[in-house]
């Protein structure tokens, strides 16, 4: 799962997301990556993101998980306007037990996972040798294909503690 914030107290919003996941019925938070400072992708903003990736186990269906994540985002000030813009909290299902499907609201794996260094870098930290369920390449291999300038723009901030 991808977690990001570029409004307000970004670190606090990322911590709150992890706490909310820990408390979500049917979800077990296993581990999470370091926190990274990343430029916005897909829209123009001078506000950089704090991003990380978390590994969870869940008994929820992908749809139930998605709707639960939307509730967490809303509870943390996220406003969905239909356009990509700055946000207090952004939660994305990146992978779901190797599932593959595509719909208007949810694609598994996340349709742009392999194109985003800000996702691949923390994903490699957690699951370096795991393979993308469609591309059949490890996340390390996918990251190696990203432009060096894109990877250099991402800075590690260190571990994110929940205390």
């Amino acid at each position: 799962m991808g977690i990001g914030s570029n409004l307000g107290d970004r670190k606090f919003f990322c911590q709150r997301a992890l706490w909310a996941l820990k408390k979500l019925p049917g979800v077990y938070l296993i581990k999470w990556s370091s926190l990274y400072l990343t430029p916005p992708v897909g829209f123009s903003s001078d506000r950089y993101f704090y991003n990380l990736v978390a590994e969870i186990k869940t008994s929820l269906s992908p749809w139930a998980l998605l709707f639960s994540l939307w509730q967490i985002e809303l509870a943390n000030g996220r406003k969905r306007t239909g356009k990509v813009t700055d946000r207090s909290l952004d939660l994305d299902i990146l992978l779901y037990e190797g599932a593959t499907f595509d719909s208007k609201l949810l694609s598994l794996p996340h349709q742009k996972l392999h194109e985003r260094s800000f996702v691949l870098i923390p994903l490699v930290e957690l699951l370096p040798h795991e393979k993308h369920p469609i591309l059949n390449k490890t996340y390390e291999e996918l990251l190696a294909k990203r432009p060096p300038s894109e990877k250099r723009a991402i800075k590690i901030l260190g571990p994110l503690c929940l205390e």
Side-chain angles (χ1 to χ4, degrees):
M1 140 161 316
I3 301 170
S5 172
N6 80 328
L7 285 179
D9 187 339
R10 300 165 293 178
K11 181 178 177 182
F12 175 73
F13 281 120
C14 291
Q15 287 171 317
R16 284 193 65 174
L18 290 173
W19 275 113
L21 288 169
K22 281 183 75 134
K23 293 178 182 177
L24 192 60
V27 172
Y28 177 69
L29 180 61
I30 297 172
K31 60 185 174 180
W32 57 92
S33 71
S34 298
L35 192 62
Y36 293 85
L37 181 66
T38 70
V41 172
F43 71 104
S44 210
S45 176
D46 59 352
R47 296 181 175 113
Y48 273 44
F49 277 84
Y50 278 22
N51 277 303
L52 69 145
V53 168
E55 182 181 0
I56 65 168
K57 293 282 184 202
T58 184
S59 60
L60 300 177
S61 72
W63 292 106
L65 180 60
L66 178 66
F67 295 131
S68 296
L69 297 180
W70 285 354
Q71 290 299 315
I72 293 169
E73 288 178 343
L74 288 171
N76 284 280
R78 170 80 185 259
K79 295 179 180 28
R80 291 191 171 271
T81 63
K83 62 180 183 172
V84 180
T85 186
D86 297 315
R87 46 209 176 268
S88 56
L89 190 58
D90 187 28
L91 302 174
D92 290 313
I93 302 172
L94 302 174
L95 302 158
Y96 188 93
E97 298 177 354
T100 60
F101 70 90
D102 191 25
S103 76
K104 185 176 179 180
L105 295 177
L106 179 63
S107 295
L108 293 173
H110 190 285
Q111 59 190 348
K112 296 190 179 189
L113 179 151
H114 63 288
E115 299 173 356
R116 295 180 166 170
S117 292
F118 72 86
V119 172
L120 288 169
I121 290 172
L123 194 55
V124 164
E125 182 183 331
L126 288 186
L127 306 168
H129 306 295
E130 295 289 321
K131 289 189 175 183
H132 188 284
I134 295 173
L135 302 175
N136 201 33
K137 296 203 178 290
T138 67
Y139 299 115
E140 280 184 323
E141 291 172 317
L142 294 171
L143 180 59
K145 293 183 178 193
R146 301 305 308 148
S149 60
E150 185 180 285
K151 293 184 276 190
R152 279 193 305 271
I154 297 168
K155 307 295 181 210
I156 189 167
L157 297 173
L160 181 63
C161 299
L162 292 185
E163 282 93 44

